Amino acid sequence: MSAPDVDPQRLSPESEHPFKRLLHYAKPHKKRVWAAATSSVLNKIFDLAPPALIGAAIDVVVEQEDSLVASLGIVDVTHQLIALSVLTVLIWGLESAFQYLQEWLWRNLAQTIEHDLRQDAYNHIQNLEMAYFHEQSTGGLMAILNDDINQLERFLDTGADDILQVATTAIVIVTTFFILAPQVAWMAMLPVPLIIWGSFKFQRMLAPRYAKVREQVASLNGQLANNLSGIATIKAFATEDYETRRISRESDDYRQANRAAISLSAAFSPLIRMAIVMGFTATLLYGGMLAIEGTLAVGVYSVLVFLTQRLLWPLTRLGKTFDLYQRAMASTRRVLNLLATPISIISGQTPFEKEGARGELVFEDVEFAYPDREPILQNFNLRIPAGATLGVVGATGAGKSTLINLLMRFFEPAKGTVRIDGTPLHELRTDDLRRAIGLVSQQTFLFHGTVRENIAYGSFDADDDAILRASRQAEAHPFIEELPHGYDTIVGERGETLSGGQKQRISIARAVLRDPRVLILDEATSAVDNATEAAIQRSMNRLARDRTMIIIAHRLSTVRAADHIIVMDQGRIIEQGSHDELVALGGDYAALWNIQTGNTHHTSTDAAE
C-alpha cells in the first residue's frame, strides 16, 4: 500500500504544542470555523441583552416620561413597555436562532475534524512497517483511534464555544461598565485578573495528570483486547479469576489516575467562586450607595448588578472548560504523535502490471535482522525462476517466513536487494507489487462477513462466476455448498464458525481469485488433517501452472512435487535440490523425510542428530 498524502505541517515535531498542531486540521474548514465562532459571539451578545432590557423597564417605571426609552421618541409609558416587550421577543428569538446555529455548526465541525483525524491516523497506521505492530498492543491503538479522538470531539462540541462566549461576555460587559459607570467598573473587575491567572495555573497543573489518565486507559484497553482475543485460552486453563484480578488492577490504576485529576479539577470552581464574590459584593454595595445618593440611576444600577453576575459567574465554567481542554490535549498529543511516527517503507514509483509479469524472484546478498535481534539472514542469495515451484523447509526460526516478509515488503533488508523480474522491490509501487503476489498465511484471517465477501476480499469487483472458479480451484466449493446458507453464510469474527482446513481453503480461494503471478503458501497444511492436506495438495498442483510458487512447509509431503527445494538453518541454505536428490543426499532433509514416513531405520546416526 502506498503511503498516504499527508500534509507535512500536520506532522509537526513532538515539541510543538498539540493545540497548534491540531489547528492544521481546522484550516480546510476555515469558513465553517468562522461561521461557528460568529454564531457563538452573536448568541452571547443577544444573551446579554435581557439585563439591559430589565434595566430599561425599571427605568420606565421609575422615570416614566423622563426615561431613556422616552428620549427615543416614545413618550407614553404603556407604549414604552410595549416597545420593550416587542424588543424582548425579537432579541430572544435571535438568541435562540444563533444558539441553534452555533450548536449545529460546532458539533458538526467537531464530527468532521474527528473524522479527518481518525482517517489520517488509521491510514497512517496501515502504512507503518510490521515491526511497529510488534511493539504495540491492539487495545492501545484502539484507544488512540477511538477514545482519544472522542475526547477531542467532546472539547470541540462545547469547550471552544464556552471559551468564545466567556471572552465575548467579558468584552461586552467591561465595555458597558466603563460607559455607564466607570466609577464602579474597576470594583467589578477586581477579581478578573486573579481568575484568569488561576485558570492558566490550574490547566498547567492539570496537564500531566490527564496525560497519565490517557496512558492508563490505553493500558486497560490493551489488556481487555488481549483477553477477549484469548478468551478460549483463558477458559481452557481455567484462569478466569486470575484475569479478573488482572483487569481489576488495570481498572484500579485507571481509577487512581482519574482520581488524581479529579481532586484538582473539582477544586477550581469553589476557589474561583470565592474570588467572584468580591467583585459582585463590591458592585452591589458601592453601586447601591451611589444609587441612593442619586449619582447613579436606579435602572443603570440594576443593569450593573445583573451584568456583574453575568460576567463573573460564567467564569466558574472555565474549570470544566479547562478540564475538557486538558483531556483533549492529552489525547490529541497521543494521536498526533502517532501521525508523526515515520513511515520507513516508502512505495516506489515504478508501476508493476501483473498481466505482463513473469514472476522471477532473486535475493542478492541480503542481510536482515528483526529489531533488537541478531541478523537472521546474512549474505543470502537465492534465485527462483519464473514459473517454478520452490519448496522451503527448515526448523522453526530458520528464516523461512522472513523470505516472505521481505518479498511482501513487510520489512526492508538492511543490505542487499530483492528483485522481481529484475527490478528491485523498493523501486516498485508497493500496491502493484502486493497485488501481483498472492499470500496464504499459516495465520489465516477471515473477516466477519459472508463466505462470498471473504473470498472476494481484495478483488471487490469479482463476479460470482469468478468466485466459484476460485473456490473450485481451492477445493473449497464442496464444503461451502454444505454450509447453512452456502456462499452467503456468515463466518463470524476471525472465521470462528469454520474449521482450520475450511479457513485455509477459503484463504487459498481468496489468493487465487487475484490471479497472482507469484503465489506463496506459508505453512498452509500445518494444522489440517490428512484429507484436507490432500485437498490442498491437489489445489497447489493446479495452481502451480503458469505462475511462480513458493511453498513453506514442515510436512515434506507438501513440497515433494516442487521443482526445487531448499533446506534452511539459521538463515542459511544448507541443502537444495529436488526431492529425490535430497533424499539420496542423506542429509537433514532425508532424515526428516524418513522420520515423517516412518522409515527411521534408514536414517544414519549423524542424520538423526
Side-chain angles (χ1 to χ4, degrees), residues 44 194 243 319 327 545 578 588:
K44 180 48 63 177
L194 179 62
E243 293 300 340
R327 285 177 181 267
R545 299 168 190 160
S578 67
D588 287 6

Side-chain angles (χ1 to χ4, degrees), residues 333-355:
R333 183 177 282 108
R334 284 162 47 83
V335 178
L336 296 178
N337 287 345
L338 168 63
L339 281 167
T341 304
I343 296 173
S344 60
I345 297 181
I346 306 298
S347 175
Q349 300 301 315
T350 304
F352 186 74
E353 301 296 335
K354 68 178 181 179
E355 286 74 15

Side-chain angles (χ1 to χ4, degrees), residues 253-575:
D253 288 343
Y254 176 51
R255 181 180 64 171
Q256 294 301 331
N258 268 297
R259 179 175 291 177
I262 291 168
S263 64
L264 181 61
S265 175
F268 179 79
S269 291
L271 292 174
I272 294 300
R273 193 181 299 270
M274 295 311 298
I276 285 170
V277 168
M278 295 166 51
F280 184 75
T281 304
T283 304
L284 188 70
L285 179 61
Y286 185 60
M289 292 172 63
L290 293 177
I292 292 171
E293 293 172 0
T295 56
L296 186 66
V298 175
V300 172
Y301 172 66
S302 302
V303 172
L304 293 182
V305 171
F306 279 118
L307 287 181
T308 303
Q309 189 263 348
R310 295 297 296 273
L311 169 64
L312 298 179
W313 290 115
L315 291 175
T316 61
R317 295 214 320 264
L318 283 177
K320 290 186 177 179
T321 302
F322 278 126
D323 188 84
L324 285 173
Y325 173 78
Q326 284 304 334
R327 285 177 181 267
M329 289 306 100
S331 294
T332 300
R333 183 177 282 108
R334 284 162 47 83
V335 178
L336 296 178
N337 287 345
L338 168 63
L339 281 167
T341 304
I343 296 173
S344 60
I345 297 181
I346 306 298
S347 175
Q349 300 301 315
T350 304
F352 186 74
E353 301 296 335
K354 68 178 181 179
E355 286 74 15
R358 295 179 293 109
E360 180 189 48
L361 302 171
V362 177
F363 291 77
E364 295 179 352
D365 300 320
V366 170
E367 182 174 315
F368 176 78
Y370 291 102
D372 302 320
R373 291 167 60 183
E374 292 296 319
I376 192 167
L377 298 180
Q378 294 189 58
N379 299 318
F380 183 85
N381 290 277
L382 175 67
R383 178 179 175 273
I384 308 171
T389 296
L390 174 74
V392 184
V393 299
T396 300
K400 305 185 300 298
S401 293
T402 300
L403 302 183
I404 309 310
N405 288 333
L406 295 176
L407 279 174
M408 298 296 296
R409 284 203 79 201
F410 294 155
F411 294 88
E412 292 279 60
K415 294 181 181 178
T417 307
V418 184
R419 302 177 184 271
I420 183 168
D421 291 347
T423 304
L425 300 189
H426 67 268
E427 295 181 5
L428 299 175
R429 290 177 53 179
T430 309
D431 283 352
D432 289 350
L433 171 68
R434 291 175 182 166
R435 289 191 184 103
I437 300 176
L439 174 63
V440 180
S441 173
Q442 178 183 6
Q443 304 293 331
T444 301
F445 189 92
L446 299 185
F447 296 88
H448 180 74
T450 66
V451 171
R452 187 190 315 278
E453 290 168 342
N454 272 281
I455 293 176
Y457 187 79
S459 305
F460 302 110
D461 57 349
D463 58 27
D464 286 347
D465 289 340
I467 292 172
L468 287 172
R469 283 196 302 273
S471 63
R472 288 192 174 100
Q473 283 184 286
E475 298 265 348
H477 182 68
F479 86 78
I480 292 174
E481 283 194 314
E482 295 176 359
L483 295 174
H485 302 288
Y487 283 83
D488 295 316
T489 300
I490 299 293
V491 301
E493 189 173 3
R494 297 178 179 268
E496 292 298 334
T497 62
L498 302 176
S499 70
Q502 289 172 332
K503 288 192 287 188
Q504 281 286 15
R505 280 180 277 179
I506 288 177
S507 182
I508 293 173
R510 180 163 62 194
V512 169
L513 185 59
R514 303 180 71 173
D515 190 24
R517 293 302 90 203
V518 178
L519 182 60
I520 302 170
L521 287 90
D522 185 5
E523 301 286 6
T525 62
S526 62
V528 299
D529 55 37
N530 291 333
T532 302
E533 181 188 7
I536 293 176
Q537 187 67 55
R538 291 193 298 271
S539 301
M540 290 191 296
N541 292 338
R542 284 192 296 270
L543 299 174
R545 299 168 190 160
D546 303 323
R547 60 168 53 91
T548 305
M549 186 175 244
I550 300 175
I551 305 171
I552 296 176
H554 278 104
R555 293 184 181 181
L556 302 189
S557 56
T558 307
V559 300
R560 181 176 183 178
D563 300 315
H564 194 74
I565 300 169
I566 62 172
V567 181
M568 295 188 66
D569 181 52
Q570 297 183 355
R572 297 177 298 110
I573 298 174
I574 58 172
E575 295 177 7

